[in-house]
Amino acid sequence: MIDLEKLESEFAELYQHQPQLFKAPGRVNLIGEHTDHDEGFVLPMAIEQNVYVAAGLNPNNSTTRIIRVKSINLNSSAEINLDQAFSKKNNWTDYIEGVARILEQKGFRLNSTDLLINSDIPQGAGVSSSAALEVAIGRALTETNKQPIETTQLALIGQQTEHEFIGVNCGIMDQLTSAIGLEHHAILIDCHTLEYQPIPIDFNEVEIVITDSGVKHELASSEYNNRRQDCKGGLKILQQFFPNIEWLHDLSYAEFKVYENRLPEPIVRRCRHVITENERTKQAAGFLSKKDYQSFGDLMWQSHDSLKNDYEVSCYELDLLVDLARQRTDIVYGSRMFGGGFGGSTVTLVKKNHAAEFREFINENFKRK
Ligand code: GLA
């Protein structure tokens, strides 16, 4: 937990004026993995941990347009001059500068703004600390400059920052989930229309456990982009047989099966994952609405197997965590890796009041292996 009063007083001491506070949560994805970049369906939810930003206009600088920013987590500071050209720094400040520059491209006009950031979202665990940073910064900059931004546009600016300033061609899931920031609900997002439907989760019946494998997902960005390319290539071939499809999820699995032998390896498996995962996600949203956690959990196991065997973004430690969860179906409904893959975390749907027992079981057996 971040001490918000302390954050405010540190800001006041550092910049000599009073801030406003903003926050944006990390996310976990219950199901719908590696579908957003093909404009499919995802079912994520916000987590309790947030990036917090204390922010205020610099009252002593109305001549130049400089963003002063400090990260408490990293104990690092920077200044960004908005009237000078951008140069990539290859560090955390690229996120801040990316968001600010894209806001300006979209017509927002930012004045000298001071920012102090603190976050309790673990980094590298796959719970979208960077998307939360983009969203929190975007909100802080627009609100303090009195040019409020709409939720979807804020998320799109975060995504564009990843594409253009960080080099990761991610989908919209992480930023949109963080920008919506809804408690106690999963959100079924149609990543094509960006329409979303909140689905309440009954925490009197279930608990959701996130387990960090401890493996940093470093391979993720290059392999992420490769998988996207595979899917694009597969779509092109399938469009020869189905000229009307625009995205992989426009095909049912049954339709895909007829032509799957026309696709080369590994493209055929990449496409099969995306198509089946979209079907699972829509089905899972229905089960969640009906509180059918058993059927929901079955789809989580299937999703993991598909990510492991077809999309090939899992790793030994993630598989081990899911295999251990499979040994405890007395208290577990379902478990799967989530996020980009190659490390990061698993998400497990556990029966109410059994999270502690599950945690103990995993701690003991994971370390031993
Ligand atoms: C990362 C990306 C998301 C999404 C997931 C995989 O978290 O940022 O857009 O593609 O991987 O589902």
Side-chain angles (χ1 to χ4, degrees):
M1 270 299 262
I2 303 285
D3 182 341
L4 297 181
E5 276 178 24
K6 192 157 167 253
L7 183 64
E8 274 179 310
S9 60
E10 276 188 55
F11 180 100
E13 200 172 309
L14 184 64
Y15 297 121
Q16 298 297 309
H17 57 100
Q18 292 300 324
Q20 279 177 273
L21 286 184
F22 302 91
K23 67 172 183 176
R27 66 96 189 90
V28 57
N29 188 18
L30 300 183
I31 196 161
E33 212 64 75
H34 285 284
T35 48
D36 64 347
H37 40 68
D38 279 273
E39 308 215 357
F41 293 85
V42 293
L43 190 63
M45 63 182 286
I47 59 172
E48 290 160 325
Q49 288 79 6
N50 292 279
V51 169
Y52 295 89
V53 178
L57 291 181
N58 179 348
N60 305 316
N61 184 359
S62 51
T63 46
T64 55
R65 300 192 311 130
I66 292 177
I67 295 177
R68 295 189 291 183
V69 56
K70 177 175 178 186
S71 157
I72 291 180
N73 303 84
L74 301 171
N75 192 22
S76 164
S77 306
E79 289 198 0
I80 298 164
N81 188 333
L82 292 172
D83 294 317
Q84 282 173 8
F86 165 71
S87 68
K88 197 168 160 65
K89 315 283 183 312
N90 290 312
N91 65 27
W92 66 279
T93 62
D94 290 340
Y95 290 96
I96 317 300
E97 186 149 2
V99 171
R101 302 270 176 189
I102 295 168
L103 280 170
E104 293 244 311
Q105 279 170 25
K106 303 277 175 208
F108 292 81
R109 173 83 184 168
L110 305 175
N111 291 308
S112 287
T113 314
D114 293 333
L115 305 166
L116 182 63
I117 305 168
N118 204 353
S119 167
D120 58 0
I121 306 177
Q123 281 178 31
V127 284
S128 289
S129 55
S130 36
L133 177 62
E134 291 146 10
V135 169
I137 290 294
R139 193 158 277 142
L141 287 174
T142 51
E143 290 284 332
T144 48
N145 282 276
K146 304 216 170 3
Q147 296 159 62
I149 188 168
E150 186 264 322
T151 304
T152 307
Q153 194 186 13
L154 175 60
L156 287 167
I157 285 172
Q159 183 193 27
Q160 201 178 336
T161 302
E162 292 280 348
H163 290 189
E164 293 175 11
F165 287 74
I166 310 298
V168 179
N169 288 319
C170 66
I172 191 65
M173 168 171 72
D174 307 345
Q175 290 80 7
L176 192 53
T177 311
S178 181
I180 296 168
L182 206 56
E183 284 185 359
H184 306 308
H185 288 74
I187 317 164
L188 177 66
I189 303 176
D190 175 338
C191 297
H192 182 55
T193 61
L194 299 187
E195 280 165 10
Y196 55 86
Q197 178 197 341
I199 303 177
I201 298 179
D202 188 351
F203 285 105
N204 293 316
E205 290 194 31
V206 289
E207 295 179 278
I208 293 170
V209 180
I210 297 173
T211 312
D212 184 357
S213 69
V215 180
K216 300 275 174 233
H217 54 161
E218 268 148 12
L219 245 180
S221 54
S222 57
E223 286 303 316
Y224 188 96
N225 294 344
N226 291 341
R227 296 292 181 282
R228 267 195 89 151
Q229 280 311 112
D230 287 349
C231 292
K232 264 196 187 159
L235 177 65
K236 260 206 177 135
I237 300 173
L238 289 165
Q239 279 169 332
Q240 294 168 15
F241 310 111
F242 300 96
N244 296 330
I245 61 166
E246 209 185 329
W247 300 103
L248 287 174
H249 64 90
D250 292 334
L251 281 185
S252 69
Y253 181 49
E255 288 167 326
F256 171 76
K257 257 191 352 207
V258 180
Y259 292 95
E260 69 179 345
N261 61 1
R262 311 293 270 272
L263 298 174
E265 272 289 343
I267 289 182
V268 58
R269 283 181 293 121
R270 308 295 187 246
C271 294
R272 184 165 58 210
H273 166 74
V274 172
I275 290 170
T276 56
E277 184 75 354
N278 271 296
E279 292 193 349
R280 279 188 289 272
T281 305
K282 285 184 274 181
Q283 250 186 316
F287 290 138
L288 193 61
S289 313
K290 288 189 232 139
K291 299 192 190 180
D292 180 352
Y293 300 115
Q294 198 73 52
S295 305
F296 189 95
D298 288 346
L299 294 172
M300 291 176 83
W301 304 120
Q302 288 173 29
S303 167
H304 184 81
D305 291 341
S306 179
L307 288 157
K308 174 184 172 188
N309 301 321
D310 278 352
Y311 213 67
E312 290 184 293
V313 288
S314 189
C315 65
Y316 173 78
E317 292 80 356
L318 290 170
D319 293 341
L320 174 59
L321 285 172
V322 172
D323 288 343
L324 287 171
R326 271 190 233 265
Q327 293 173 22
R328 293 305 310 268
T329 47
D330 55 325
I331 57 169
V332 168
Y333 289 116
S335 182
R336 54 183 287 279
M337 60 150 282
F338 70 91
F342 302 101
S345 302
T346 61
V347 55
T348 306
L349 192 65
V350 176
K351 292 182 185 166
K352 179 73 184 170
N353 292 331
H354 287 287
E357 186 183 347
F358 177 71
R359 177 190 174 134
E360 227 166 83
F361 175 78
I362 291 289
N363 274 344
E364 208 177 290
N365 290 283
F366 186 74
K367 281 192 193 127
R368 196 158 45 79
K369 290 258 182 176

